[in-house]
Amino acid sequence: GGARSRALMDGVPLSDGFGGWVPWNMVPTDIVDRVEVLLGASSSQYGSNAMGGAVNVITRSPKERAADINLSYGSRNTKIVNAYASDAFLNKFGLSVDYNYYTTDGYQWLQPEKRGPVDQNATARNWTLHVKAASLESGEGGPLWFVRGIVFHDERNHGLADWYDSRDVLQGAAGFHRPLEAGGEVRGHAFFGTHLLDSTNAAVGGGAARTSQARYVRNYLPSRDGGASLQWSRPFEAPASSMTIGVDLRHTAARNDEEDYSTTGVYERSLSSGGQQTTVGFFGQWAVTPIPDLIVAPSARVDYWQNHDAFQIDAAGRAPIPAK
């Protein structure tokens, strides 16, 4: 279910378009206003990634002059620092800045009797910078517009000197909603981001004694991801119902540069592959309440997707991969 659930922040995809990873550490709790959870299959409105449901994290909107700082310390030398500040300008919009830092010495993954000389603590460190501007004028669905930027860095060790990874994310997003007559509204979002995952894995030698370790593969995965959505909705009195129609699109370009090593950690070969994917979806839903406590919501969605400009590079050279 987790791999088929849609994760959003302010209506914008939180996962990267290549691997589908959701960096939850990129969402400090201090910036969360509320969380909307939709259980069960929701693929018509949210796409095929929402077959298991959808989670939308709504971040707090800057409305007035405010500042707060939270410090915490816990076991395993775990430290968290979060600083938030906001202000209103020209009686038109608010601007907020949030910085979050997290670090921990972590713990040993293995039980004491199974550890060897190569085993060490699994540590983690990350920091996030959020900058958000939003309209002071708002409606039932929040501010009439917002613009948001995020810079995120995460690094972690998985218990061995050569088993670690780091992730860097830079994302910009914007959204708006406009109330219409008769209770309807138009809502739209756009986003663009770059993601970089640098991952190294290691193998342990020496049998149960775990006396040696060596790098066996490194993956360097840069990707770019962008998209937009537009949605119209309106309620009706007779019969008691509401209608929603919309369109969304997403484009992802990614590459995987892989280095392979021998069992003793000696470099052997490199392999590079990559490509792009473009997806466009159209959806509609009609939710009607024929009797109290019963909602019937037929819906439909059509997706067009294409994998293109794919390639693979190895010792034999560069070879194109057919589009799908």
Side-chain angles (χ1 to χ4, degrees):
R4 288 291 180 264
S5 298
R6 190 76 181 272
L8 307 163
M9 183 161 61
D10 296 324
V12 174
L14 185 58
S15 59
D16 74 284
F18 174 60
W21 301 295
V22 181
W24 287 113
N25 289 331
M26 201 169 72
V27 190
T29 56
D30 294 74
I31 69 168
V32 176
D33 179 64
R34 66 186 188 276
V35 180
E36 299 173 348
V37 180
L38 188 60
L39 302 177
S42 314
S43 59
S44 292
Q45 185 171 350
Y46 293 99
S48 59
N49 289 337
M51 293 173 65
V55 177
N56 187 18
V57 179
I58 308 298
T59 61
R60 60 196 284 194
S61 291
K63 298 178 181 179
E64 57 189 3
R65 180 171 298 178
D68 60 66
I69 182 168
N70 291 323
L71 308 174
S72 66
Y73 181 83
S75 58
R76 308 187 189 280
N77 197 28
T78 301
K79 310 182 192 75
I80 302 176
V81 177
N82 194 93
Y84 176 89
S86 68
D87 204 350
F89 297 89
L90 305 175
N91 293 322
K92 295 292 185 180
F93 69 95
L95 178 66
S96 66
V97 178
D98 183 89
Y99 175 78
N100 184 274
Y101 176 80
Y102 169 88
T103 182
T104 180
D105 287 349
Y107 57 90
Q108 289 270 359
W109 283 25
L110 297 178
Q111 296 176 355
E113 64 273 14
K114 296 182 179 180
R115 298 172 191 166
V118 300
D119 294 304
Q120 58 188 36
N121 281 7
T123 62
R125 182 175 73 92
N126 61 70
W127 61 266
T128 312
L129 178 65
H130 285 252
V131 180
K132 184 177 182 179
S135 166
L136 295 180
E137 185 179 0
S138 62
E140 185 177 346
L144 295 186
W145 60 264
F146 76 88
V147 179
R148 187 192 70 210
I150 301 175
V151 183
F152 174 69
H153 174 76
D154 178 271
E155 57 188 53
R156 55 191 65 222
N157 175 280
H158 300 289
L160 297 172
D162 281 320
W163 188 14
Y164 58 87
D165 58 59
S166 66
R167 185 186 307 276
D168 292 278
V169 178
L170 177 64
Q171 186 190 76
F176 78 94
H177 80 95
R178 286 289 181 270
L180 302 175
E181 295 181 357
E185 74 163 12
V186 175
R187 183 179 296 270
H189 298 93
F191 69 96
F192 176 80
T194 61
H195 305 257
L196 175 60
L197 174 64
D198 191 349
S199 176
T200 301
N201 292 327
V204 176
R210 300 178 65 85
T211 56
S212 66
Q213 62 98 39
R215 176 185 301 187
Y216 74 87
V217 65
R218 180 190 180 190
N219 294 96
Y220 185 81
L221 297 92
S223 64
R224 302 186 310 275
D225 188 27
S229 64
L230 186 64
Q231 178 178 302
W232 171 89
S233 61
R234 181 188 167 180
F236 297 92
E237 293 184 1
S241 61
S242 64
M243 180 178 294
T244 301
I245 58 175
V247 58
D248 53 48
L249 60 92
R250 191 169 189 175
H251 178 80
T252 302
R255 189 180 80 249
N256 178 20
D257 298 330
E258 179 178 309
E259 298 175 355
D260 296 328
Y261 297 80
S262 68
T263 55
T264 58
V266 178
Y267 169 80
E268 290 186 333
R269 65 166 188 162
S270 293
L271 179 67
S272 182
S273 58
Q276 301 185 46
Q277 183 179 82
T278 303
T279 304
V280 181
F282 302 89
F283 60 88
Q285 177 176 285
W286 180 51
V288 59
T289 306
I291 58 175
D293 300 325
L294 175 64
I295 298 176
V296 180
S299 63
R301 181 179 179 93
V302 177
D303 280 313
Y304 169 82
W305 62 270
Q306 183 180 32
N307 292 342
H308 53 96
D309 297 329
F311 65 89
Q312 179 171 299
I313 302 175
D314 55 21
R318 182 186 178 103
I321 299 176
K324 295 184 179 180

